[in-house]
Amino acid sequence: MKKIFSIIFVLSYLFINAQYDYIGTEIGLNRLMGTARFVGTGGVMGSVGAEVSALSTNPAAIGMFSRSEFSITPTVQVNNTGTDYILFGNGSRFVSETEDVKLKFSLNNLAYVIANRKDNAPYIKNSNFAIALNRTADFNRKFSFYAQNNIYTYAASNADYLTSQYRLDVNSFPNSSNVNSNDFDYYGAREMGGLYTELFETKPADTSVVSYASKSVLQQGQRNIWGGINELSFAWSGSFKDRVYFGVSLGIPFLNYTMATSFSEEHLGDISTSGLHPNNGRFISHRFNERIDHSGVGVNLKLGGLAKINHFLRASAFIHTPTYYGITENYSITYRTVFQTANNSATYERPEFEYNALTPVKMGLGLSAVSKYGFIGAEYEYSTMNTQRIFFNDMPYNEGIINDVFKFERRGTHTFKLGGELAYEIFRLRAGFNYRTTPYVDVSPLDNLDVIVEGADLSSKTFTFGFGFRGKALSIDFAAMTTQQEEFNSFYTKKNEYNVGIKNNIQRQHYMMTLNYRF
């Protein structure tokens, strides 16, 4: 059995383009999170005020607290993903459908507000402080797929890619007996895993790389994603004559993002029709298991204002600086190819790699009407997704590649929020709706193909509902939230002929309860 362990790091173009684009988009998108009251009303409380989760959008809302407050929000998440595994091109097309469910418990909110009210003060009547741990993003989901494929396999795609690289550098291109760790980074870890385990072989006679995998295979894959962003916030807000409120918060977000991918191709049919290796016998299967971990800490600043226009109407505005992250990445892969008389494996681990990321600028406006019977509000938020940046130390070429993706293939997103609360004695009833536009300049992720996967553009719709009971000192609130979005990712291609991709229909359902104590 062959084994390899790598400790050398050289960043490759393919790895950059695939991974940093994806993680950058994930951490930059807006998501609705917070207490049950905040979520139940669609997150419009930046102009209503006196809501601790609003400090993640408009810290001026903290200035309207007249009493100190403690809150905690445990949450159960049920993430459903319906997956279409699609191959199309040259008149061929097949689709296989699967569904996956992932259950997760998290803490959406833990907060403490210190209210400092001075009724006799001539101007600054409120000077409030808050410390909160709010979950601002949740990445948890998984999807799986499978299909019988006799048109164009993943092994064939990688053999075509390796052939193109072989012809560019015939003298130094590796073969299965001399693959080293630099090759795993330079040519691609999955591709070199296949070469090392003898799934592929170089043929000097015609300067090609051939695959011993079958042309008819059962493909099976799964991707499991978990993690999120929890932001520790320190906020202050004051009021001027109880008419104008202004606030500032310092955010320290903690990022954790893990993506584990497995994929295999197994021979279908009689073994006599499988690929024949001259030394190892007939091909049976190949498989890889890959894991990428991103963890880091960032810092940002939020500024906000809120004004009482009259007895009923309130307006708000806010702006968030980009979050500057320091991120550590770990990557590993195991690859196995099974023949009749051989079972070859490779293990590759890249040492810790550190880089920095800059998220979008965010800004918005809000308007609400408030009375003793409740409130109704609207909020608009704009996020400059095309200003995201990744920074690598001493690698300007690689840095430029991924930043050009953000610069030219992303655009600002618009988020529209509507929501309200109906109040009757101690009872509260809430509902809300959010819509976020696509971050992509071109909503079709497919190039040089006449098939467009419509709607798979990461735009999202969020529906919320909630109710609660508000006593003099103790409140309890409940909320349910459903977010719907679709995404498409190209898996592998043969230029101008075939595209194999994965379309996910994602539904995130969150159920939360907030306990709130005022004193």
Side-chain angles (χ1 to χ4, degrees):
M1 180 182 293
K2 290 188 174 184
K3 293 184 181 290
I4 187 171
F5 180 80
S6 168
I7 57 171
I8 298 176
F9 173 75
V10 177
L11 199 62
S12 71
Y13 167 84
L14 291 177
F15 184 77
I16 292 173
N17 201 38
Q19 293 305 324
Y20 298 103
D21 170 23
Y22 196 86
I23 184 69
T25 301
E26 284 275 57
I27 66 176
L29 289 173
N30 297 330
R31 295 173 175 86
L32 178 59
M33 308 287 283
T35 66
R37 188 184 185 210
F38 185 77
V39 170
T41 58
V44 300
M45 298 192 67
S47 60
V48 177
E51 164 56 44
V52 68
S53 287
L55 68 82
S56 293
T57 55
N58 182 12
I62 303 302
M64 296 193 72
F65 279 97
S66 57
R67 298 166 66 186
S68 297
E69 181 174 297
F70 172 80
S71 66
I72 185 171
T73 307
T75 303
V76 175
Q77 311 161 33
V78 183
N79 297 311
N80 298 274
T81 304
T83 301
D84 292 343
Y85 184 54
I86 309 168
L87 182 147
F88 46 87
N90 275 357
S92 301
R93 179 182 177 93
F94 71 72
V95 179
S96 68
E97 299 178 355
T98 56
E99 291 189 8
D100 292 275
V101 178
K102 186 169 185 177
L103 185 68
K104 182 74 175 179
F105 172 85
S106 66
L107 192 65
N108 257 19
N109 157 266
L110 181 66
Y112 178 50
V113 179
I114 302 172
N116 184 19
R117 173 75 180 178
K118 296 180 179 179
D119 291 321
N120 297 326
Y123 300 110
I124 307 299
K125 293 184 177 295
N126 280 4
S127 181
N128 296 343
F129 297 87
I131 179 171
L133 184 66
N134 285 324
R135 192 166 179 85
T136 59
D138 184 88
F139 307 129
N140 292 284
R141 66 183 185 275
K142 69 176 181 179
F143 63 86
S144 58
F145 57 91
Y146 68 91
Q148 296 183 14
N149 187 341
N150 60 4
I151 300 173
Y152 189 59
T153 67
Y154 186 62
S157 173
N158 284 348
D160 288 343
Y161 162 73
L162 290 174
T163 294
S164 68
Q165 298 302 301
Y166 184 25
R167 291 172 178 172
L168 290 174
D169 197 3
V170 175
N171 295 326
S172 61
F173 192 84
N175 56 50
S176 60
S177 64
N178 66 1
V179 175
N180 61 47
S181 54
N182 285 344
D183 298 323
F184 269 74
D185 282 313
Y186 187 79
Y187 295 108
R190 297 177 185 176
E191 294 81 357
M192 287 296 101
L195 183 63
Y196 190 87
T197 59
E198 299 182 327
L199 175 65
F200 308 122
E201 184 178 350
T202 55
K203 296 291 185 180
D206 60 355
T207 322
S208 67
V209 176
V210 298
S211 168
Y212 289 111
S214 304
K215 295 183 179 179
S216 180
V217 297
L218 172 64
Q219 297 180 318
Q220 298 183 84
Q222 184 180 82
R223 174 163 287 174
N224 197 348
I225 300 172
W226 61 92
I229 300 175
N230 294 296
E231 185 173 69
L232 179 64
S233 297
F234 302 90
W236 173 85
S237 179
S239 68
F240 181 75
K241 293 186 175 181
D242 284 340
R243 294 296 301 270
V244 177
Y245 300 80
F246 38 89
V248 58
S249 72
L250 175 69
I252 304 174
F254 297 87
L255 165 70
N256 287 284
Y257 186 98
T258 297
M259 182 166 60
T261 305
S262 63
F263 177 77
S264 66
E265 290 183 323
E266 182 179 352
H267 170 70
L268 280 178
D270 191 276
I271 192 65
S272 63
T273 64
S274 182
L276 178 62
H277 191 283
N279 300 319
N280 300 328
R282 298 286 182 180
F283 166 83
I284 296 176
S285 66
H286 73 103
R287 177 187 181 90
F288 68 81
N289 293 286
E290 181 182 67
R291 176 171 172 143
I292 306 168
D293 295 283
H294 299 265
S295 60
V297 180
V299 62
N300 61 57
L301 194 68
K302 302 178 181 71
L303 302 172
L306 190 158
K308 292 181 178 179
I309 300 173
N310 54 38
H311 186 66
F312 297 104
L313 290 179
R314 301 175 185 178
S316 64
F318 60 86
I319 185 168
H320 302 174
T321 69
T323 298
Y324 184 78
Y325 279 106
I327 301 175
T328 299
E329 176 195 288
N330 290 278
Y331 173 84
S332 64
I333 187 172
T334 59
Y335 206 107
R336 184 179 299 276
T337 301
V338 180
F339 296 95
Q340 284 179 312
T341 61
N343 190 335
N344 300 333
S345 66
T347 299
Y348 168 74
E349 294 185 6
R350 181 178 289 126
E352 283 191 352
F353 171 63
E354 295 182 352
Y355 67 98
N356 299 105
L358 197 67
T359 67
V361 175
K362 299 177 182 179
M363 60 195 78
L365 302 169
L367 183 68
S368 61
V370 183
S371 75
K372 66 178 183 179
Y373 301 108
F375 64 84
I376 185 169
E379 192 167 287
Y380 165 76
E381 184 171 319
Y382 178 71
S383 177
T384 61
M385 291 292 291
N386 58 340
T387 64
Q388 289 179 272
R389 294 295 181 266
I390 296 289
F391 304 104
F392 301 123
N393 292 328
D394 303 320
M395 290 183 290
Y397 176 74
N398 294 330
E399 183 180 297
I401 291 170
I402 187 61
N403 286 336
D404 280 348
V405 173
F406 292 133
K407 189 183 300 183
F408 300 112
E409 298 182 20
R410 297 292 178 270
R411 63 181 172 187
T413 58
H414 307 270
T415 303
F416 304 92
K417 305 176 184 180
L418 295 172
E421 176 183 85
L422 182 64
Y424 177 71
E425 296 183 349
I426 67 168
F427 303 103
R428 302 293 185 270
L429 187 65
R430 308 177 182 106
F433 173 75
N434 285 192
Y435 174 72
R436 187 192 67 220
T437 61
T438 177
Y440 296 123
V441 170
D442 180 0
V443 297
S444 169
L446 312 177
D447 295 327
N448 303 317
L449 291 168
D450 57 0
V451 178
I452 296 177
V453 181
E454 296 182 355
D457 59 1
L458 280 182
S459 62
S460 68
K461 297 176 182 178
T462 299
F463 303 87
T464 69
F465 172 79
F467 63 94
F469 307 92
R470 190 171 184 85
K472 292 182 178 180
L474 186 65
S475 298
I476 183 169
D477 297 300
F478 301 89
M481 175 177 71
T482 298
T483 299
Q484 303 170 349
Q485 68 180 54
E486 292 184 352
E487 65 177 11
F488 179 87
N489 293 289
S490 181
F491 182 23
Y492 63 93
T493 66
K494 187 172 186 178
K495 190 174 182 180
N496 298 322
E497 292 189 51
Y498 298 108
N499 192 304
V500 179
I502 300 165
K503 179 182 179 182
N504 289 323
N505 185 340
I506 303 166
Q507 291 196 27
R508 294 185 173 96
Q509 298 172 333
H510 290 203
Y511 304 94
M512 62 205 71
M513 176 184 71
T514 298
L515 295 174
N516 182 288
Y517 178 68
R518 296 176 298 281
F519 53 94

